[in-house]
Amino acid sequence: MRPMVSFSPQENAQVCITGNGFFKLFKYSEGTLKQTNLQKGEPQNYLCHAWLSEQEVICGTDTGKLILFETGELRWETKLEYKKPPMELEEDATREYDSSCDVSSGLASEDNGSRQDSLPQILAIAAYSKGFACSPSPGVVVLFEKTKEKEVYKESQEIWLPEDQFSSEPKQSSRQDIICICFSPSEKTIVVNTNKNQLYMFTILSTNFMKEKAAYFMYLNYPLHSAPITGLDVCVWKPILATCSLDRSVRIWNYKMNTLELYKEYREEAYTVSIHPSGLFCLVGFSDKLRFISLLYEDMHVFKEFAVRKCRECSFSNGGHLFAAVNGNVIQIYSSITFEIVNNLKGHSGKIQAVKWSSDDAKLVSCDTYGAVYEWNLSTGERESECVLKSCIYSSIAPSSDAKVIFAVGSDQTLKEISESSIQNEVSAFGVVYTAVAVSHSGHMVFVGTSLGTIRTMKYPLPLMKDFNEYQAHAGAVTKMSITNDDLFLLTASEDGSVFIWKLYDKGGGILKWEKEFDYAEEVLIMRSDIEEKSQALIDLQIRVEELQTENEYQLRLKDMYCNEKIRKLEENFTQEINSLKNKYQILHAEREKADLQHQLQLSELQNKQAREVQQLESEKNLKLLMENEKYQELQVKSQKMQEQYERQLHNLEESKSRAVKELTEDYEGKLKELSLLLEEAREDMRLQLQAHEEIKKQIEEDEDQEILEMKIKYERQLMEAKESNLQLKGEIGVMNKRLNSLQKELKERNKDIEEMRLEQQKLQGIIKSLEKEISALKTEIQERADTIQDKEKDIYDLKKKNQELEKFKFVLDYRIEEFKKQIASRENDIKTMKEQICEMEGELERFRKETTQLKLNIAQMQQKLKATDREMHRERQKKQNMEVLVNRFKTDLHNCVGFIQDSKKLKDGIRGLYTKYVQQPDEVETEAAEIDMQQEYMRQREYLERNLAALKKKVVKDREIHQAAYVHIIQENVSLIKEINNLRQELKVAHTQIRDLRSTIRLMEKKQAVQGTAPSGEVLPSPTVLMLNAQKENEKIIEMQQLEIEYLRDQIKVLAAEPLSDGNLPLLNLERSHETQQQ
């Protein structure tokens, strides 16, 4: 990190400088900087700092320490830990919980390693009114607030960068290093900048956000490129442009709305991009392939890939039916409809830098790094014109609307106007390299981008002098430029990763108007699967909405009933409370009237008492005033007497002072006269001494002048003599140097000749030795070849005899091969029919599985309904028991009441008691009637469900019986088919081995007939009897293996027959083992 320098916001004369190992405070005064602090303690690597007040500075180090200095002295220090995002902490917690039974030592070592790799570093810090904010770890900003405790500042909030879901690595996007933090003047917004050129913001709405420990930033506008932009193209039908960058992303921007419409990151770097005129497709050149991408509503879908590696330039034609792609030094023209190569334009010897189409798509213009600008005719595929300037490395070209003029820029710091295969005009860049060029569709304006990031505009015809307007834009070199089809916008991209949209105006300040008003297209592409998903989601949501509506209606009804009941109860409570409050009010009113009467009596008594006290106080105060007045008069007389006395004393003092001053002035005047006389005498003596000194000085100067002249003449003579001797010596030294140089050159040449002769001698000796070795090797080789010729002649004689025998065997083998082929064909047909039967049986098996799963679901539903009916039956039984208890109670109470039949009064009271106890209110009667209706409806539904349940049970029993019979039938068929398959495989294996042996013998016969003795052979072919013996042994092995397999399958069938069906599915036979044994 570089050293950081900042001025104090409160006092502009104070400066703070921090860096690796130093923290210094300076104060600017009287034109110099003076250090105001002394560094104490161990030096730290300070990465950043911020002023908290006029005297306080907070610093951050590379070890995660926060250090607070007050007037240069250390006041507070704390160390921050490396922070992980909340999502990672949750994942770590789940991992620790899952792996709690693992070895602790291994986990400890891994944790230590991860902690060592992730050390905190405070890269950015900023102050605000409540405290400060800093970034101790990648992707997080921590807010600290001031406290009155010992810690001074306390952590209050963590704000994290969000994960970018469109990125290829979402977790890495949230772990960017924050290099700058900034607060708005109102301190309601925080803006941060990361090391990947991204801007994020966080809005502080209120103090409530502090309650949440972790919050998340959001993009200030939208995600930007974090690496140099390598490609830019504009759409014709829509107000969009496409860019690609070395950050492996492709982005679609809307230059009218200034928004990012589409964005996707890939795994490879993107070098070039071109957008189709319709705006529905784009072409992107990656490091591995060239991809044709469909621009969907919310995504980018790769439609086609082309095997073009590191395609640096590609471009759609203006009509969109063709596109050009650079493959090495060749420009390939593809059809946008069939994706076939229409033409290959060959001729460039350097790296192709730019490819541009003419307005009618009849021509193509290209340039390369070897200074060549070619114009191609697409109908013939040949060059129409060329302009080559090898001293210039072209970087960009732009043809005019009629393609008659080509503007090119390159490394020679000029803008060239090329026409008719020659450079017609050159305009100097005045010390800057032009990197990009664009021409308006009207042809009146030319725009160029420079390596300094500036944009220059000039009129056409090009000016000869320095007549252009220059605008500062980018921080890096301009890589791409393009103008919209209506000439209203200029689009530029740079190595700094930024895209600029320029609105073009005429000289009067108005926006340029296009001759024809252009309506932009609004169509977009969308995948059929996306539409189906969204329609399905819409249907699900509609169903969910209907369900929620019914639920809400039901809940509202329940709430209405509950609320009405509650309101009724509240009304009763309130009426009772109102009556009680009225009674209290009457009582309190009567008490208040009594209290008012008492207060009136007390008030009258207090008023009388106050009047008496006021009269007493007035009389006492009048007496005191009279006494004070008398004292004041006496004091006034005393002050007049004292004033007269002081005036007399002052007059006497003034008279004595004037007399003393007169005496002193007379004494000092006499002394002054004496001193003036002495001063005049001293001046006269001094004048005489000066005259004598001047005469002595003149004599000394004359003597010194004479001595100087004599010495000058003497030394000049010596100097002339020394110069002459030096010239002679220099001449002699030059001659000697020339001789020495010539001798040294001769020595060097002689030494070189000697070394060359030695090297030639060594080479010749090596050649002689190698030739001698070759001669000896050739002699031995000749001898060996003579021996081999003799051996081969013998072999040829033997092979001719064997060839005659093999021709006899050939006839027999051909006949047998034909028979085996017929047998194989019949067996293959049988295998096909067996496979078809197996496929049909598997289909039936799958159908049975589906039926069983459906039956299981039906059984589960019916069981749930049965449980519900059991619960309802239990409730009804409970109600019945309650009613029986109530009837028994009523009977007992009625029997007791009948006992008072002789006493009419007691009988009347007893009947009233029975009425109040057992007779319900009208509203309760209504609820009982409603309950009776509900019970009747419940009984009807219950009977219906019971009937359905009985029918389903019968159906399940029938299906189970059918399923069991089908299962047994399928198992039997499987066993028979397996036996047949094994027999067929055995026969097929035997046939294959026989055919293989026959073919090998035939090949050997054919080779030996073709070679006729060229290759030696020491082996003798087996006879037909040996072949037959091998086949018999093989058949015996196969029969043994098949018997073992049959025993295994019988055991497996017995086990399956013994096991009951758990889920109703047929068990799968282990056919893989039988196949493996057959292969063995």
Side-chain angles (χ1 to χ4, degrees), residues 44 56 98 104 121 138 152 159 340 434 609 616 659 667 687 714 719 725-726 788 827 996 1035 1069:
Q44 303 279 345
E56 292 182 342
D98 293 337
S104 60
Q121 283 189 343
V152 184
I159 310 171
E340 294 179 354
Y434 286 147
K609 188 177 179 181
Q616 289 177 2
R659 285 196 297 273
D667 292 336
R687 187 173 58 77
K714 180 181 177 183
L719 185 65
S725 63
N726 281 333
T788 52
R827 296 295 173 82
R996 199 180 300 117
N1035 288 331
L1069 290 173

Short mmCIF file of all heavy atoms in Angstrom, two decimals, residues 44 56 98 104 121 138 152 159 340 434 609 616 659 667 687 714 719 725-726 788 827 996 1035 1069:
data_model
loop_
_atom_site.label_atom_id
_atom_site.label_comp_id
_atom_site.label_asym_id
_atom_site.label_seq_id
_atom_site.Cartn_x
_atom_site.Cartn_y
_atom_site.Cartn_z
N GLN A 44 4.23 0.15 13.12
CA GLN A 44 3.18 -0.63 12.48
C GLN A 44 3.09 -0.28 11.00
O GLN A 44 3.50 0.81 10.60
CB GLN A 44 1.81 -0.35 13.15
CG GLN A 44 1.77 -0.61 14.64
CD GLN A 44 1.58 -2.06 14.96
OE1 GLN A 44 1.19 -2.85 14.11
NE2 GLN A 44 1.87 -2.45 16.20
N GLU A 56 -8.13 13.98 17.22
CA GLU A 56 -8.16 12.52 17.18
C GLU A 56 -8.02 12.01 15.75
O GLU A 56 -8.68 12.50 14.84
CB GLU A 56 -9.47 11.99 17.77
CG GLU A 56 -9.59 12.22 19.26
CD GLU A 56 -10.87 11.65 19.83
OE1 GLU A 56 -11.81 11.39 19.04
OE2 GLU A 56 -10.95 11.46 21.05
N ASP A 98 -22.52 -31.87 11.69
CA ASP A 98 -22.51 -33.15 10.98
C ASP A 98 -21.25 -33.94 11.25
O ASP A 98 -21.27 -35.17 11.30
CB ASP A 98 -22.67 -32.92 9.47
CG ASP A 98 -24.03 -32.35 9.14
OD1 ASP A 98 -24.96 -32.55 9.96
OD2 ASP A 98 -24.16 -31.71 8.08
N SER A 104 -10.68 -35.03 16.25
CA SER A 104 -10.53 -33.62 16.62
C SER A 104 -9.22 -33.05 16.15
O SER A 104 -9.12 -31.88 15.82
CB SER A 104 -10.65 -33.49 18.13
OG SER A 104 -9.63 -34.25 18.76
N GLN A 121 -7.15 -7.41 7.57
CA GLN A 121 -6.41 -6.23 7.11
C GLN A 121 -7.42 -5.09 6.95
O GLN A 121 -8.43 -5.25 6.27
CB GLN A 121 -5.72 -6.48 5.77
CG GLN A 121 -4.46 -7.31 5.87
CD GLN A 121 -3.70 -7.35 4.56
OE1 GLN A 121 -4.24 -7.03 3.51
NE2 GLN A 121 -2.46 -7.71 4.62
N PRO A 138 -12.53 -8.93 3.70
CA PRO A 138 -13.15 -8.74 2.38
C PRO A 138 -14.67 -8.84 2.46
O PRO A 138 -15.23 -9.73 3.08
CB PRO A 138 -12.57 -9.89 1.55
CG PRO A 138 -11.31 -10.26 2.22
CD PRO A 138 -11.53 -10.02 3.66
N VAL A 152 -14.05 3.29 24.59
CA VAL A 152 -14.15 4.51 23.77
C VAL A 152 -15.07 4.28 22.57
O VAL A 152 -16.06 4.99 22.41
CB VAL A 152 -12.76 5.01 23.32
CG1 VAL A 152 -12.91 6.33 22.55
CG2 VAL A 152 -11.84 5.17 24.50
N ILE A 159 -22.16 -4.55 7.83
CA ILE A 159 -22.85 -4.41 6.54
C ILE A 159 -22.04 -5.20 5.52
O ILE A 159 -20.85 -4.92 5.31
CB ILE A 159 -22.97 -2.93 6.11
CG1 ILE A 159 -23.55 -2.09 7.25
CG2 ILE A 159 -23.85 -2.80 4.88
CD1 ILE A 159 -23.50 -0.61 7.01
N GLU A 340 -23.53 -22.22 -41.95
CA GLU A 340 -22.50 -22.81 -42.79
C GLU A 340 -21.56 -21.73 -43.28
O GLU A 340 -21.94 -20.56 -43.42
CB GLU A 340 -23.13 -23.53 -43.98
CG GLU A 340 -23.96 -24.75 -43.59
CD GLU A 340 -24.59 -25.42 -44.80
OE1 GLU A 340 -24.46 -24.84 -45.90
OE2 GLU A 340 -25.20 -26.49 -44.63
N TYR A 434 -3.70 7.39 -31.53
CA TYR A 434 -5.11 7.12 -31.75
C TYR A 434 -5.34 5.60 -31.66
O TYR A 434 -4.63 4.82 -32.29
CB TYR A 434 -5.57 7.61 -33.12
CG TYR A 434 -5.70 9.13 -33.22
CD1 TYR A 434 -5.43 9.80 -34.40
CD2 TYR A 434 -6.11 9.88 -32.13
CE1 TYR A 434 -5.55 11.17 -34.51
CE2 TYR A 434 -6.24 11.25 -32.21
CZ TYR A 434 -5.95 11.90 -33.40
OH TYR A 434 -6.09 13.26 -33.48
N LYS A 609 -57.82 36.91 57.86
CA LYS A 609 -56.52 36.80 58.54
C LYS A 609 -55.44 37.54 57.77
O LYS A 609 -54.59 38.23 58.34
CB LYS A 609 -56.16 35.33 58.69
CG LYS A 609 -54.93 35.06 59.54
CD LYS A 609 -54.71 33.57 59.68
CE LYS A 609 -53.47 33.28 60.51
NZ LYS A 609 -53.23 31.82 60.65
N GLN A 616 -50.54 45.18 59.88
CA GLN A 616 -49.40 45.16 60.81
C GLN A 616 -48.08 45.40 60.10
O GLN A 616 -47.22 46.16 60.55
CB GLN A 616 -49.38 43.83 61.56
CG GLN A 616 -50.49 43.66 62.56
CD GLN A 616 -50.47 42.29 63.22
OE1 GLN A 616 -49.59 41.51 62.93
NE2 GLN A 616 -51.46 42.02 64.10
N ARG A 659 8.17 72.58 43.15
CA ARG A 659 9.44 73.08 43.62
C ARG A 659 10.55 72.05 43.37
O ARG A 659 11.64 72.38 42.89
CB ARG A 659 9.36 73.40 45.13
CG ARG A 659 8.60 74.69 45.44
CD ARG A 659 8.90 75.16 46.87
NE ARG A 659 8.43 74.20 47.86
CZ ARG A 659 7.21 74.18 48.38
NH1 ARG A 659 6.33 75.08 48.00
NH2 ARG A 659 6.89 73.28 49.29
N ASP A 667 19.93 71.34 37.83
CA ASP A 667 21.12 70.50 37.99
C ASP A 667 21.47 69.79 36.69
O ASP A 667 22.63 69.75 36.27
CB ASP A 667 20.87 69.48 39.09
CG ASP A 667 20.77 70.13 40.49
OD1 ASP A 667 21.34 71.22 40.62
OD2 ASP A 667 20.14 69.52 41.37
N ARG A 687 39.09 63.08 14.13
CA ARG A 687 39.29 63.54 12.76
C ARG A 687 40.76 63.52 12.41
O ARG A 687 41.14 63.10 11.29
CB ARG A 687 38.73 64.96 12.63
CG ARG A 687 38.70 65.51 11.19
CD ARG A 687 37.98 66.82 11.14
NE ARG A 687 38.56 67.81 12.02
CZ ARG A 687 39.71 68.50 11.75
NH1 ARG A 687 40.35 68.30 10.64
NH2 ARG A 687 40.17 69.40 12.63
N LYS A 714 55.77 37.02 -13.78
CA LYS A 714 56.57 35.83 -13.56
C LYS A 714 55.75 34.56 -13.84
O LYS A 714 56.17 33.65 -14.55
CB LYS A 714 57.08 35.85 -12.11
CG LYS A 714 57.95 34.66 -11.76
CD LYS A 714 58.38 34.78 -10.30
CE LYS A 714 59.18 33.56 -9.87
NZ LYS A 714 59.55 33.65 -8.43
N LEU A 719 53.46 29.76 -17.08
CA LEU A 719 52.26 29.13 -17.65
C LEU A 719 52.43 28.87 -19.15
O LEU A 719 52.05 27.80 -19.66
CB LEU A 719 51.04 30.02 -17.40
CG LEU A 719 49.69 29.46 -17.83
CD1 LEU A 719 49.35 28.22 -17.01
CD2 LEU A 719 48.60 30.50 -17.66
N SER A 725 54.87 22.66 -23.35
CA SER A 725 55.31 21.28 -23.06
C SER A 725 54.13 20.30 -23.08
O SER A 725 54.24 19.17 -23.56
CB SER A 725 56.02 21.23 -21.71
OG SER A 725 55.11 21.60 -20.68
N ASN A 726 53.00 20.75 -22.58
CA ASN A 726 51.79 19.88 -22.58
C ASN A 726 51.34 19.54 -23.98
O ASN A 726 50.95 18.40 -24.26
CB ASN A 726 50.63 20.57 -21.84
CG ASN A 726 50.77 20.45 -20.33
OD1 ASN A 726 51.38 19.50 -19.85
ND2 ASN A 726 50.25 21.41 -19.61
N THR A 788 20.77 -62.83 -43.72
CA THR A 788 19.29 -62.83 -43.69
C THR A 788 18.72 -63.25 -45.04
O THR A 788 17.69 -63.93 -45.10
CB THR A 788 18.77 -61.44 -43.32
OG1 THR A 788 19.37 -60.45 -44.18
CG2 THR A 788 19.08 -61.09 -41.88
N ARG A 827 -30.36 -67.76 -34.87
CA ARG A 827 -30.29 -67.50 -33.43
C ARG A 827 -30.53 -66.01 -33.12
O ARG A 827 -31.16 -65.66 -32.12
CB ARG A 827 -28.91 -67.91 -32.91
CG ARG A 827 -28.63 -69.40 -33.02
CD ARG A 827 -29.58 -70.20 -32.13
NE ARG A 827 -29.43 -71.63 -32.34
CZ ARG A 827 -28.50 -72.39 -31.77
NH1 ARG A 827 -27.62 -71.86 -30.98
NH2 ARG A 827 -28.46 -73.68 -32.02
N ARG A 996 -14.11 -66.98 -34.94
CA ARG A 996 -12.88 -66.23 -34.70
C ARG A 996 -11.66 -67.07 -35.11
O ARG A 996 -10.73 -66.56 -35.75
CB ARG A 996 -12.78 -65.87 -33.22
CG ARG A 996 -11.82 -64.73 -32.93
CD ARG A 996 -11.77 -64.40 -31.45
NE ARG A 996 -13.05 -64.01 -30.93
CZ ARG A 996 -13.74 -64.67 -29.99
NH1 ARG A 996 -13.25 -65.78 -29.49
NH2 ARG A 996 -14.90 -64.24 -29.55
N ASN A 1035 -16.50 -75.81 -25.02
CA ASN A 1035 -17.91 -76.15 -24.81
C ASN A 1035 -18.10 -76.78 -23.42
O ASN A 1035 -19.09 -76.51 -22.72
CB ASN A 1035 -18.38 -77.13 -25.88
CG ASN A 1035 -18.51 -76.43 -27.22
OD1 ASN A 1035 -18.77 -75.25 -27.26
ND2 ASN A 1035 -18.32 -77.15 -28.32
N LEU A 1069 -34.82 -59.66 -10.81
CA LEU A 1069 -33.90 -60.79 -10.88
C LEU A 1069 -32.49 -60.29 -11.14
O LEU A 1069 -32.29 -59.32 -11.88
CB LEU A 1069 -34.32 -61.73 -12.00
CG LEU A 1069 -35.63 -62.52 -11.74
CD1 LEU A 1069 -36.02 -63.25 -12.97
CD2 LEU A 1069 -35.46 -63.46 -10.57
#
